């Protein structure tokens, strides 16, 4: 576990080791994260930094509005965390919320930066690898950090999926697809 008075870079390095340990299934992975108020704040700072970088790059590439991207990210993040918090409250494991948030924040920040670099290098085909790593991370965070039982892990993932579906519905309502985007979707579906 990083020292409670360590600086942000030390905590980020420890979190990177923790994310790697989670991917590998190391039972001691939680020792790399700081589950205090300071650790919680640091994990949010990491997410904000990475989100800012992503928004700037999105605007630079010209693939959408920064405000729309920010709102969509907040909705998806809020829905996932909200659904997880509601589920943890229902099963009486409110104590697992802070470790969950800290590890998810650091995992998202670190994986997002790695994925951003690989996409900038033209290695877009690795997206499937990141999807698999994300699934492994989700399961191992629930299993190794939150110490949930297998049935609870499945129910947590289902709760998160419901939260994501509701978030996507809200995003479509707030940012409806343009006729051109609908035509692209129709063309892609008919080609299959």
């Amino acid at each position: 576990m990083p020292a409670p008075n360590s600086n942000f870079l030390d905590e980020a390095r420890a979190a990177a080791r923790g994310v790697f340990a989670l991917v590998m299934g190391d039972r001691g992975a939680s020792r790399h994260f700081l589950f205090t108020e300071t650790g919680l704040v640091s994990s949010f700072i990491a997410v904000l930094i990475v989100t800012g970088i992503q928004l700037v790059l999105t605007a630079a590439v010209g693939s959408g509005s920064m405000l729309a991207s920010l709102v969509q990210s907040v909705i998806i993040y809020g829905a996932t965390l909200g659904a997880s918090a509601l589920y943890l409250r229902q099963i009486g494991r409110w104590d697992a919320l802070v470790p969950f948030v800290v590890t998810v924040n650091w995992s998202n920040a670190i994986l997002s930066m790695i994925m951003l670099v690989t996409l900038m290098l033209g290695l877009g085909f690795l997206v499937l690898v990141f999807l698999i790593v994300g699934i492994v991370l989700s399961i191992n965070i629930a299993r190794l950090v939150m110490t949930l039982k297998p049935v609870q892990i499945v129910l947590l993932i289902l709760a998160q999926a419901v939260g994501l579906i509701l978030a996507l519905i809200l995003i479509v309502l707030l940012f409806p697809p343009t006729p051109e985007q609908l035509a692209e979707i129709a063309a892609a579906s008919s080609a299959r």
Side-chain angles (χ1 to χ4, degrees):
M1 178 193 285
N5 57 357
S6 63
N7 65 33
F8 182 77
L9 289 177
D10 290 338
E11 196 171 336
R13 280 191 284 270
R17 287 190 295 276
V19 169
F20 181 74
L22 282 169
V23 171
M24 295 293 118
D26 181 0
R27 293 197 178 281
S30 62
R31 73 180 178 275
H32 297 287
F33 299 97
L34 191 58
F35 300 131
T36 63
E37 260 183 45
T38 304
L40 185 63
V41 170
S42 296
S43 73
F44 277 111
I45 291 170
V47 167
L48 289 173
I49 290 170
V50 171
T51 302
I53 292 169
Q54 288 175 328
L55 290 173
V56 168
L57 288 176
T58 299
V61 173
S63 62
S65 161
M66 279 180 62
L67 179 61
S69 295
L70 177 62
V71 170
Q72 291 170 8
S73 295
V74 168
I75 290 171
I76 290 172
Y77 180 81
T80 305
L81 247 52
S84 301
L86 285 173
Y87 174 70
L88 290 173
R89 186 170 150 232
Q90 288 297 319
I91 65 169
R93 286 297 315 274
W94 197 248
D95 61 302
L97 184 64
V98 170
F100 169 73
V101 172
V102 169
T103 53
V104 164
N105 283 351
W106 279 113
S107 298
N108 285 340
I110 291 165
L111 277 183
S112 293
M113 283 306 296
I114 294 170
M115 192 157 74
L116 200 58
V117 169
T118 58
L119 290 174
M120 289 173 60
L121 293 174
L123 304 173
F125 60 89
L126 291 176
V127 171
L128 181 62
V129 172
F130 285 107
L131 178 64
I132 293 168
V133 168
I135 292 169
V136 168
L137 268 172
S138 294
I139 292 169
N140 283 343
I141 288 170
R143 184 173 69 92
L144 301 173
V145 175
M146 300 167 69
T147 63
L148 296 180
K149 296 178 175 94
V151 172
Q152 293 172 323
I153 294 170
V154 171
L155 293 174
L156 174 67
I157 292 170
L158 286 174
Q160 291 170 345
V162 169
L164 283 174
I165 290 169
L166 293 174
L168 292 175
I169 291 170
L170 180 59
I171 288 170
V172 169
L173 290 174
L174 291 174
F175 306 100
T178 63
E180 294 83 18
Q181 290 170 328
L182 290 173
E184 287 176 20
I185 293 169
S189 64
S190 66
R192 292 180 185 187

